[in-house]
Amino acid sequence: MRFVAKQPKEGINVSDTHPLVEAGTLVAGLTAIFVVIALALIFMIEVAMYFVSAEDEAKLFDNWLPDDLITVSPDDDRLSEAQLLVDRLVGHWPDAPYEFRVEIDDSEISNAMALPGGLIIVTQGLLDQVESENELAFVLGHELGHFKNRDHFRALGRGIVLSVFFAAVTGGDVASIGIKAADITLRGFSRRQETRADEFGLLVVQSEYGHVDEAWRLFERWNVDDSRLIDFAAYLSTHPEPRDRIEDMKRHAEREGWPVEGDISPLDW
Ligand SMILES: [Zn+2]
């Protein structure tokens, strides 16, 4: 008897489901897998980072700068003044494990951030808006608070994962964490981390000037003047609402018995 191979039925490899539905399921499935992997990676990195001391962090990120950061001229007066001010403020944190470096981001958008290794970045846009040294001292003191509590370093786990994913999607460079990834990452600070950073900021301002006058004056202006919204939107996306923040800061100063009035130091530029 001869075996005769039968032709398979037409369309045997075609599923009954509409191809678009199948594609949708595939995309949703892959996205879910991606998200789960990203979350697992973030968790593992955050656990690992728990064991990295601030001293090791300072060594690891010695002289590091984000690749995509565009700074103002090194001769800019504001740079040396801001650095001097940070050095004075750090005097009230005697065993600080970092050598703090200030860089000014050549951006018109107001923002300030704490990055690994003791790097503090303030934007040109923020410096344009501060009207006294006391106002600036608080903004810088707040960022010092993030170093004190090591919030910035824990956020780095997220930053690393984010930049790897960015690089995978855009075909860019994985080697470093750019300022854009850092910016998105820092939006993840909790309200509690922000409050503690504010309290540390107030403490160094009080220690430096003997009062906390004008510590929150910048936020008071932002709170009432909506026309500036566009300028400080970036700062607000990484920091709490001015209104709540001012209330909390006032209460904290009162609790600590810190004077809310005193001599104001002008800016030197
Ligand atoms: Zn903050």
Side-chain angles (χ1 to χ4, degrees):
M1 198 170 126
R2 243 180 107 216
F3 174 72
V4 184
K6 268 190 269 174
Q7 282 290 348
K9 267 187 270 168
E10 194 68 29
I12 194 160
N13 285 322
V14 179
S15 102
D16 297 335
T17 324
H18 193 277
L20 275 179
V21 175
E22 283 198 325
T25 314
L26 182 68
V27 169
L30 282 178
T31 310
I33 291 170
F34 250 57
V35 169
V36 169
I37 292 175
L39 290 177
L41 278 175
I42 290 170
F43 178 74
M44 284 177 343
I45 293 175
E46 285 190 7
V47 169
M49 286 168 95
Y50 191 78
F51 296 97
V52 180
S53 69
E55 286 80 3
D56 287 340
E57 177 205 327
K59 263 184 242 150
L60 233 94
F61 286 91
D62 182 36
N63 284 321
W64 169 76
L65 273 186
D67 269 3
D68 52 352
L69 176 71
I70 300 165
T71 55
V72 297
S73 151
D75 304 324
D76 196 307
D77 278 350
R78 295 170 302 177
L79 187 59
S80 45
E81 292 297 330
Q83 180 70 55
L84 277 173
L85 184 53
V86 164
D87 293 344
R88 270 162 56 205
L89 297 172
V90 174
H92 306 290
W93 176 9
D95 45 2
Y98 303 93
E99 274 202 39
F100 291 99
R101 288 181 292 145
V102 180
E103 290 290 350
I104 301 176
D105 180 349
D106 180 20
S107 158
E108 293 309 316
I109 295 162
S110 294
N111 211 350
M113 56 181 90
L115 293 180
L119 177 63
I120 299 175
I121 294 187
V122 285
T123 62
Q124 180 139 237
L126 186 123
L127 294 179
D128 287 344
Q129 302 222 356
V130 291
E131 292 179 0
S132 71
E133 190 187 274
N134 305 62
E135 286 182 18
L136 180 59
F138 176 75
V139 170
L140 297 170
H142 171 93
E143 298 307 325
L144 290 177
H146 283 309
F147 287 105
K148 174 88 178 164
N149 303 320
R150 298 202 74 208
D151 302 328
H152 71 293
F153 197 58
R154 286 190 204 113
L156 186 66
R158 260 171 283 156
I160 292 170
V161 175
L162 267 178
S163 53
V164 169
F165 274 75
F166 275 163
V169 173
T170 61
D173 186 7
V174 193
S176 80
I177 302 143
I179 198 85
K180 288 185 196 80
D183 191 37
I184 295 168
T185 303
L186 298 178
R187 284 170 206 202
F189 281 177
S190 70
R191 187 58 220 272
R192 179 158 166 70
Q193 288 174 316
E194 288 301 325
T195 304
R196 289 181 63 205
D198 273 349
E199 290 176 0
F200 188 77
L202 281 177
L203 174 70
V204 290
V205 165
Q206 162 68 26
S207 311
E208 178 63 24
Y209 302 102
H211 63 81
V212 294
D213 201 356
E214 297 214 349
W216 49 80
R217 191 161 155 258
L218 176 67
F219 311 129
E220 278 173 343
R221 288 201 303 279
W222 282 351
N223 199 19
V224 291
D225 191 351
D226 283 349
S227 64
R228 296 190 202 211
L229 193 67
I230 204 76
D231 296 326
F232 64 82
Y235 189 85
L236 288 193
S237 68
T238 49
H239 294 87
E241 280 286 316
R243 196 167 327 173
D244 302 341
R245 218 175 158 188
I246 295 165
E247 282 312 309
D248 286 354
M249 286 165 76
K250 279 183 181 165
R251 259 200 302 273
H252 187 69
E254 200 179 325
R255 239 185 346 252
E256 298 286 337
W258 294 333
V260 291
E261 274 173 41
D263 290 341
I264 298 306
S265 307
L267 287 164
D268 275 338
W269 62 71

